[in-house]
Amino acid sequence: MNNVPQHVSIIMDGNGRWAKARGKERVYGHVAGVESVRACTEAAVEAGVKYLSLYAFSEENWNRPEAEVNRLMELMMEAIHNEVKTLLDNGVRFVVLGNRARLSASLNAAIDALMEKTAACARMTLIVFLSYSGQWDILQAVKKAAAEKGPEGVQAMTADDFAGYLVTAGIPDPDLLIRTSGEQRISNYLLWQCAYTEFVFSDVLWPDFRKPEFRAALETYAGRDRRYGKVK
């Protein structure tokens, strides 16, 4: 495929509705969604995408029922343990970004261990945004910049300088953002980084979003004319 995006990001939406349509609890949809993560990661590697990022759990998601939150964290632990060999075999570096201070010590330890094991992998980087929100990201960046540079230094900062204080420092902004389940909003995700991102909205619920749907989104992106405010 020509014009493959360097960085694809996905808002994985629709797990609860998928489960409800089958008469199941919401967590059933989250379990099924793990297979879609695996499928899209494989499709991204096959297509030559260099960065795949997934919005797994927002800061606002902490307000969900405790049982659902606990199950989501258990699923993350299970996925970390189950996917080590697959990530290493496929040359995929694993990274978690977000407000990790809210995560349990055991989950943080598992995340750190997997990040260390895959640190040398260079075929693709898989980024999981966990306990993340765009507003939190910008606010923590402002605080870090102010503490480091002071008022005068902040005044002299450029947009590129400021981006270096975001949790995504060193990672290119998304070229393509996919949101599943038919919803058409950004939901407090990568507010700074998506300034010139192309959006594709799919009606498919996340547990049903697999390789054909991912490839269709890449094809849609390939047909876009990205001008960045310029005239071609």
Side-chain angles (χ1 to χ4, degrees):
M1 182 186 298
N2 294 324
N3 196 23
V4 175
Q6 182 182 28
H7 182 176
V8 177
S9 194
I10 306 177
I11 298 177
M12 306 177 292
D13 197 12
N15 290 340
R17 279 170 281 169
W18 186 90
K20 184 178 180 181
R22 288 158 178 77
K24 304 283 188 178
E25 297 290 331
R26 289 175 54 85
V27 292
Y28 181 75
H30 298 311
V31 173
V34 172
E35 291 300 319
S36 294
V37 171
R38 184 177 294 113
C40 289
T41 301
E42 291 176 356
V45 170
E46 292 164 0
V49 173
K50 294 301 181 184
Y51 296 85
L52 175 66
S53 57
L54 307 172
Y55 197 15
F57 191 86
S58 72
E59 284 259 279
E60 292 79 11
N61 287 157
W62 288 109
N63 297 318
R64 290 187 175 185
E66 184 178 359
E68 182 178 350
V69 170
N70 290 340
R71 183 58 182 136
L72 283 166
M73 295 302 146
E74 289 172 2
L75 279 173
M76 177 58 67
M77 286 288 287
E78 292 169 9
I80 287 173
H81 291 302
N82 293 339
E83 301 302 323
V84 175
K85 185 177 185 302
T86 301
L87 293 173
L88 290 172
D89 288 347
N90 288 280
V92 177
R93 180 169 67 112
F94 178 76
V95 175
V96 170
L97 298 177
N99 186 4
R100 289 183 54 188
R102 300 190 68 173
L103 304 179
S104 69
S106 58
L107 180 53
N108 271 318
I111 289 169
D112 287 338
L114 185 53
M115 288 175 60
E116 184 177 350
K117 286 178 181 177
T118 62
C121 296
R123 190 175 183 187
M124 190 183 79
T125 297
L126 174 63
I127 305 158
V128 176
F129 284 93
L130 194 59
S131 188
Y132 175 88
S133 82
Q135 291 174 335
W136 165 84
D137 193 7
I138 293 170
L139 183 59
Q140 65 84 31
V142 169
K143 290 178 179 178
K144 285 198 298 186
E148 181 179 315
K149 291 181 169 294
E152 292 184 2
V154 170
Q155 286 291 334
M157 286 177 65
T158 65
D160 287 340
D161 293 334
F162 181 75
Y165 289 91
L166 298 168
V167 296
T168 51
I171 297 170
D173 292 341
D175 301 294
L176 169 64
L177 176 66
I178 302 167
R179 180 162 188 155
T180 62
S181 86
E183 302 294 344
Q184 299 186 16
R185 59 180 179 273
I186 198 168
S187 294
N188 200 6
Y189 180 55
L190 296 178
L191 300 179
W192 177 279
Q193 296 88 338
C194 284
Y196 279 100
T197 299
E198 296 291 327
F199 289 74
V200 170
F201 299 106
S202 171
D203 290 332
V204 178
L205 300 177
W206 177 245
D208 291 326
F209 194 91
R210 300 297 172 90
K211 287 187 179 183
E213 289 77 19
F214 185 86
R215 290 168 179 153
L218 294 189
E219 291 171 1
T220 298
Y221 170 86
R224 299 281 178 87
D225 182 14
R226 306 188 75 197
R227 297 186 296 275
Y228 299 97
K230 303 174 184 178
V231 177
K232 290 185 178 180

